[in-house]
Amino acid sequence: EVIRPGTMGRVKVWFNANKAGRMGLTQTSIYLSRFPGDKIGKNNEIFISAVVLPNISKTDTLIATTPRVQLSSTRITLDGTQGKRLAQEKLTLTNIGGSPLEIMQVQVFNPGLRVRLRGKTLSPGESRDINISTIAHQEKKSRGRSSILLLTNDPTQPKIVIDVEVKR
């Protein structure tokens, strides 16, 4: 369509999650043409992000026997003012449900952060630490706010977002 100067238009974008190929964060750019033969550039780019979640049944009769995730916190602050020492923090992940909890995906939304989680399956009652730290050679990219995405097989919380702030 053509949008005349001084008017507004609407662009609809459809995303087929079945064709995404994987769960978690999917990012891409689409470009709008201002005129025939228009070149791709930052001026006509629309950045799109989508999070594909697992399809998990949420029936009440199954909730008692399903895995249930409990996280010690969903917000952390990493203190990067300690000189050359890397900023780090630990969170505790616990399965308070009745069947094994699977961490299907761990995605970091900032190249300056590192997440370490030993093993991705927790038995009922089991706890495990998630170590979050900055990466020395990516120090400048880890400033400000970022987040970490955990996808689980918990029907009540298939997506957990951990908000991370790095202070410098």
Side-chain angles (χ1 to χ4, degrees):
E1 288 189 34
V2 175
I3 302 171
R4 300 282 173 216
T7 61
M8 292 178 22
R10 180 173 287 165
V11 176
K12 290 184 182 180
V13 178
W14 285 269
F15 178 76
N16 187 340
N18 294 326
K19 293 186 178 181
R22 66 181 178 93
M23 289 181 289
L25 178 69
T26 299
Q27 297 178 318
T28 191
S29 293
I30 59 172
Y31 298 90
L32 299 178
S33 174
R34 295 167 290 195
F35 51 84
D38 194 7
K39 293 186 178 181
I40 291 174
K42 292 288 179 192
N43 293 336
N44 57 355
E45 177 182 29
I46 297 175
F47 190 72
I48 297 174
S49 296
V51 177
V52 180
L53 300 176
N55 186 13
I56 298 173
S57 172
K58 294 183 180 182
T59 59
D60 291 337
T61 57
L62 295 176
I63 294 295
T65 61
T66 60
R68 298 282 313 277
V69 65
Q70 182 180 40
L71 193 59
S72 57
S73 177
T74 57
R75 300 188 85 119
I76 63 167
T77 301
L78 296 174
D79 185 7
T81 61
Q82 305 164 354
K84 291 193 174 198
R85 204 167 136 224
L86 296 180
Q88 52 188 344
E89 186 74 36
K90 283 186 183 180
L91 296 177
T92 303
L93 183 71
T94 306
N95 180 5
I96 59 171
S99 61
L101 173 72
E102 292 179 30
I103 307 302
M104 299 173 178
Q105 190 86 289
V106 178
Q107 289 183 316
V108 181
F109 289 74
N110 186 318
L113 294 177
R114 175 187 306 164
V115 177
R116 295 177 73 193
L117 172 64
R118 302 246 187 250
K120 296 207 176 183
T121 303
L122 282 81
S123 300
E126 185 179 2
S127 293
R128 195 154 297 146
D129 285 336
I130 299 174
N131 297 308
I132 302 167
S133 64
T134 56
I135 300 173
H137 67 279
Q138 296 283 351
E139 188 174 325
K140 291 184 180 177
K141 293 183 181 178
S142 66
R143 293 182 184 196
R145 288 207 172 274
S146 188
S147 56
I148 298 166
L149 174 69
L150 297 176
L151 295 181
T152 71
N153 65 337
D154 178 346
T156 60
Q157 289 188 89
K159 173 182 86 166
I160 300 171
V161 177
I162 301 169
D163 207 19
V164 180
E165 182 177 2
V166 180
K167 290 192 176 183
R168 295 272 176 216

